[in-house]
Amino acid sequence: MRVAYQAGVLRALSEAGLRFHHADGTSGGIMNLAMILSGQDPVEMGERWRTLDQRRFMSLLPVRQYVRSFRWPAFGGADGVRHQVFPHLGIDVGQIRSARGMIGTFNVCNFSRKVAEVIEHSEIDLDLLVAGISLPMLMPAVTHNGDSYLDAVWIRDSNVVEAVRRGADEVWLVWCIGNTPEYLNGSFRQYVHMIEVAANSSLYADFEQVRAVNKERPSPVVLHLIKPEAPIPLDPDYFLGRIDAGTLVEMGYRDGCRYLDRLDPAGVAWEPGATSMRSDRPALLLRHDLTGDLGGHDLTVRLAPEIPEAAAMKAELRVEAPATGHATVASFGTRVPFRTAQVSMTVDGDLSLEASLEGPDGRYCLTGAAPTGSPGLPVSLSRGDHPGGAIVAVGELSLDRRMWWSALRGAHVTHAVSSGDRLRVLRALVRLILHRGFQARRDDRAGRRRAGPRVVP
């Protein structure tokens, strides 16, 4: 469900002017490939993911299958995907089959023959698209031409060799599967670990084949690999609203921009470990919308800072955190994602923001800072990736003393591997709320004392 991340990466690649002759999708990546071949650009893809009700992924089997016996074909059915998710994402099999200008290939597992099959976009149908994201136990196998088909992730989660076989000189791999050294407890986590082992090991087997091919080529095939620094939240976090598709899109966009900004034309080595990520600890994800004006036009900003080790906030009462988010700015467009963003805030109400974004004629930087008690956050928009460029507009975002409370309504704990982790972060959050409430009351009492007694004539 969480491959909305990939749509954000695709937007970054598109803005950089990259174009591709061949695209390949496996497992969840099938949905984004199907959206591309259905005629959507990455901006539209992001909006469709953003407005998708993630609960539509889940649907039940017919009741009679549950009551007849405990030998169910899966825990749930595929009707939600077929009739609600795919249509909302704009996936149109007719358009996919007739698409021109780029070859698309979809990987599915033929369970009957125990092989991964590559299906060109001109031959795909709805059954195979559904089969391509049907994980065992979660969705039933799909019968097609007498064989049973499933998600291919147990055999492969990408098909780099197919791209090289078709003549690619450069491969851009968008990787969403986690790869950390931690082996965690719990049946769901270990189910995910099995997927991680299968996906990463098959990818590394592909790498070995490409290294052999490169020895025979006058110039090697180059690999560019875009991935999150730490695993993105798992499907239950997305399904339960602890993270939303819009934030996932903006995370992918940020990571894609980061890779492009540091681009090495030689790419990365075709070696095991290329997908390695740092282990992440529980964090507090805040989501808050601010409104105001900029240069006489309406301005809206969504900020989603992810505060690591939130329990430590109780000591310093100040956090500086990387963030994702977007801004709606006149002439820039609606919900333009931030390339980079950094937020600094205190529980007493201080707030500062520095974010860069892509404008119609280059990059811009949005900055602002407000002290405790300020009714607004003065902001300025300047040219360039960082503050210091020519200022093109100034304005203000509205703030009030309920800002933290509003942000906390959209707060969730991410990367928690146990209920204990989640409770520890929530306990720290409660301390922050109580501290803020007590501090506000002390400030009010101090203000009344300074004002002296009120005289009534």
Side-chain angles (χ1 to χ4, degrees):
M1 301 180 191
R2 60 207 173 112
V3 292
Y5 175 93
Q6 296 175 340
V9 175
L10 292 174
R11 178 167 181 166
L13 299 183
S14 177
E15 288 180 355
L18 287 162
R19 299 294 181 267
F20 299 90
H21 298 287
H22 169 242
D24 183 88
T26 313
S27 194
I30 280 176
M31 291 184 282
N32 286 310
L33 176 57
M35 293 168 78
I36 294 170
L37 294 171
S38 295
Q40 298 174 39
D41 63 34
V43 175
E44 181 183 355
M45 291 172 66
E47 285 304 303
R48 286 182 178 272
W49 275 112
R50 189 186 305 277
T51 55
L52 174 67
D53 182 351
Q54 72 272 21
R55 294 171 296 180
R56 303 306 179 197
F57 274 102
M58 308 299 281
S59 59
L60 298 177
L61 298 168
V63 174
R64 65 179 181 276
Q65 289 191 285
Y66 290 113
V67 300
R68 186 176 297 168
S69 77
F70 288 107
R71 298 176 63 186
W72 306 331
F75 290 126
D79 285 351
V81 169
R82 284 178 180 270
H83 304 305
Q84 297 187 70
V85 173
F86 279 7
H88 182 91
L89 294 179
I91 294 173
D92 185 308
V93 172
Q95 286 187 280
I96 294 171
R97 291 170 68 100
S98 62
R100 299 291 182 269
M102 181 177 72
I103 298 294
T105 50
F106 298 86
N107 298 277
V108 293
C109 170
N110 184 323
F111 177 79
S112 300
R113 297 178 53 231
K114 306 298 187 294
V115 296
E117 293 185 4
V118 178
I119 313 294
E120 281 208 11
H121 73 272
S122 57
E123 304 298 323
I124 201 69
D125 62 23
L126 182 58
D127 283 344
L128 290 173
L129 287 177
V130 172
I133 62 169
S134 295
L135 281 170
M137 297 175 60
L138 303 182
M139 289 170 62
V142 175
T143 301
H144 179 79
N145 292 336
D147 287 344
S148 295
Y149 283 84
L150 295 166
D151 192 315
V153 70
W154 302 105
I155 303 175
R156 58 170 60 256
D157 198 45
S158 66
N159 201 340
V160 171
V161 169
E162 183 68 19
V164 174
R165 188 181 73 79
R166 290 173 179 265
D169 295 314
E170 205 172 84
V171 173
W172 289 73
L173 176 60
V174 185
W175 189 257
C176 281
I177 295 289
N179 183 6
T180 68
E182 290 184 298
Y183 186 76
L184 301 172
N185 295 334
S187 57
F188 176 74
R189 290 280 176 175
Q190 292 180 3
Y191 183 86
V192 172
H193 286 336
M194 288 188 285
I195 291 176
E196 293 170 350
V197 169
N200 284 283
S201 61
S202 65
L203 176 68
Y204 296 159
D206 277 6
F207 283 8
E208 187 174 355
Q209 292 188 54
V210 177
R211 290 200 304 272
V213 169
N214 279 343
K215 291 178 181 178
E216 308 298 325
R217 288 172 53 103
S219 58
V221 181
V222 173
L223 171 66
H224 296 287
L225 195 155
I226 298 174
K227 61 179 181 179
E229 292 186 338
I232 58 178
L234 296 173
D235 286 353
D237 285 336
Y238 172 51
F239 186 75
L240 296 172
R242 294 174 187 146
I243 191 160
D244 56 30
T247 302
L248 289 168
V249 170
E250 289 153 7
M251 289 170 62
Y253 181 78
R254 174 200 62 195
D255 292 346
C257 291
R258 179 189 294 128
Y259 185 87
L260 290 163
D261 287 343
R262 304 170 182 174
L263 183 65
D264 181 348
V268 300
W270 297 90
E271 297 290 343
T275 58
S276 295
M277 303 171 188
R278 61 175 170 81
S279 299
D280 217 354
R281 300 304 304 156
L284 182 66
L285 180 70
L286 301 177
R287 287 173 290 190
H288 188 52
D289 294 310
L290 301 171
T291 59
D293 77 277
L294 183 70
H297 298 280
D298 290 342
L299 170 66
T300 62
V301 171
R302 157 64 67 94
L303 290 175
E306 190 172 36
I307 304 167
E309 297 295 343
M313 291 169 60
K314 64 182 182 293
E316 296 296 331
L317 303 175
R318 170 179 288 276
V319 291
E320 294 188 5
T324 56
H326 62 254
T328 297
V329 185
S331 79
F332 279 40
T334 302
R335 288 183 288 275
V336 179
F338 293 141
R339 296 176 56 86
T340 62
Q342 186 78 15
V343 173
S344 174
M345 43 190 177
T346 72
V347 292
D348 294 325
D350 287 357
L351 175 66
S352 63
L353 161 70
E354 180 182 318
S356 66
L357 64 165
E358 193 75 28
D361 58 349
R363 295 179 189 172
Y364 289 80
C365 186
L366 182 69
T367 56
T372 301
S374 174
L377 175 69
V379 292
S380 62
L381 186 70
S382 58
R383 290 190 177 276
D385 278 328
H386 305 286
I391 295 177
V392 297
V394 295
E396 185 173 87
L397 290 166
S398 297
L399 300 176
D400 60 40
R401 293 177 57 187
R402 296 183 299 275
M403 181 188 72
W404 263 90
W405 293 93
S406 177
L408 293 173
R409 285 200 300 270
H412 292 284
V413 179
T414 60
H415 306 296
V417 299
S418 69
S419 57
D421 284 342
R422 185 166 285 110
L423 287 172
R424 188 181 73 249
V425 176
L426 291 175
R427 193 163 56 242
L429 183 57
V430 169
R431 291 194 190 101
L432 288 174
I433 295 172
L434 293 176
H435 171 88
R436 182 66 186 101
F438 291 145
Q439 183 66 44
R441 285 195 291 273
R442 284 198 299 268
D443 291 346
D444 286 343
R445 287 195 296 269
R448 287 195 296 269
R449 284 196 298 270
R450 285 194 296 271
R454 188 160 61 100
V455 178
V456 179

